[in-house]
Amino acid sequence: MNVDTERPDPTRALPIAVLMSFLGGFLDAYSYVGWGGVFAGAQSGNIILMAIAMVQGHWFTATRHLPSILAFGLGVVAAETLRMPRPASLLRRPDIAALALEATALLVIGLLSPAVPAALATAVLAFAAGLQLSYFGRVHGWTYNSTMTTGNLRNLIEAMAGMAFRRDHAAQKQAIALSRVIAAFAAGAGIGGLATCRFQAHAIWMAIPVLSLGIRMLSTSSRSIAPPVPRRADDPQGIASATLASPGRNSAETRA
């Protein structure tokens, strides 16, 4: 897959991908350990566990996974809604809105637990995971998954094969990026599981600073959200316009 050549999108930056993958691992470990063996993002795991419980006749156990599966779908729908032209134009930065919505959902769980029912807690966590997965799914020009890692592992092996057999420079960059994404997911899962064992349901509060960091990284990113600056009549090459609209200019350069 070719790397995108269009205007840089901060949601596709490697630091954001690493941060989202860490959070994805954290959410799954927190949900599984703290809320009765139900995953927040790994819906394939929920479907497998639900099917096993059904064939064993454990119907109540099987139904525990349904709220997570359904809420995950609602999270995906919410992410697609944020991408639609009208919401995107009203919000100006739907990427930041997505993380703010996820942070709000997790904050509510932390505030209400352990009084909140497990079904509601896992549904809210799955909604956050679906929102995150759908909105943050590319790093540079490559796809990745921030809430589960099977596909990431497959793509990493394919990229390593490309490095070995074709000496593909792009495959090397992809392998490096995916290695960091997978390592971040594993670290998040380990920390999430340990924190949940120690702090129980309130461990979810540890995810709030991670999301806050993500919001800060996006808000200070180089992405230009203003409309293009029109070319001046005395600047047919558009040099001055390109300078003014350049997403790489920071506030210090503007003041200077």
Side-chain angles (χ1 to χ4, degrees):
M1 184 179 298
N2 294 329
V3 179
D4 294 340
T5 58
E6 60 189 20
R7 184 174 59 179
D9 183 344
T11 64
R12 300 185 181 190
L14 180 57
I16 289 293
V18 169
L19 201 68
M20 292 300 100
S21 296
F22 176 90
L23 186 62
F26 187 97
L27 288 181
D28 260 345
Y30 170 80
S31 178
Y32 188 85
V33 174
W35 295 100
V38 177
F39 291 107
Q43 296 306 319
S44 57
N46 283 333
I47 291 174
I48 290 171
L49 293 174
M50 183 174 66
I52 292 173
M54 290 175 64
V55 299
Q56 291 178 338
H58 302 155
W59 298 103
F60 178 76
T61 301
T63 59
R64 290 188 309 174
H65 301 275
L66 280 176
S68 178
I69 296 171
L70 296 175
F72 183 86
L74 291 177
V76 174
V77 172
E80 291 302 312
T81 302
L82 291 175
R83 287 195 183 97
M84 295 177 65
R86 184 170 180 80
S89 62
L90 292 174
L91 295 170
R92 292 183 61 82
R93 289 302 298 265
D95 50 353
I96 293 178
L99 288 191
L101 181 58
E102 183 175 357
T104 302
L106 300 186
L107 181 62
V108 168
I109 291 298
L111 290 173
L112 296 181
S113 59
V116 63
L120 179 58
T122 55
V124 172
L125 293 170
F127 174 86
L131 177 68
Q132 175 183 313
L133 171 64
S134 185
Y135 206 94
F136 299 89
R138 295 179 72 85
V139 52
H140 301 314
W142 305 295
T143 58
Y144 78 101
N145 193 316
S146 66
T147 62
M148 55 196 87
T149 200
T150 303
N152 296 335
L153 183 60
R154 181 205 64 196
N155 292 338
L156 171 61
I157 295 172
E158 290 179 351
M160 293 176 67
M163 291 170 53
F165 301 140
R166 300 190 302 272
R167 298 186 181 277
D168 189 341
H169 180 65
Q172 180 181 3
K173 292 177 62 178
Q174 183 183 16
I176 292 173
L178 289 175
S179 296
R180 294 176 180 177
V181 164
I182 293 171
F185 185 89
I191 293 174
L194 181 63
T196 306
C197 290
R198 186 179 181 112
F199 303 112
Q200 288 76 48
H202 294 302
I204 194 60
W205 280 337
M206 295 179 63
I208 305 301
V210 179
L211 285 165
S212 299
L213 176 60
I215 292 173
R216 179 175 176 81
M217 291 168 64
L218 290 175
S219 64
T220 58
S221 66
S222 61
R223 185 181 189 182
S224 175
I225 58 175
V229 180
R231 295 182 181 179
R232 301 197 311 245
D234 59 344
D235 183 25
Q237 300 296 325
I239 297 174
S241 299
T243 302
L244 290 173
S246 172
R249 300 284 177 178
N250 57 31
S251 58
E253 291 173 325
T254 304
R255 290 194 300 269

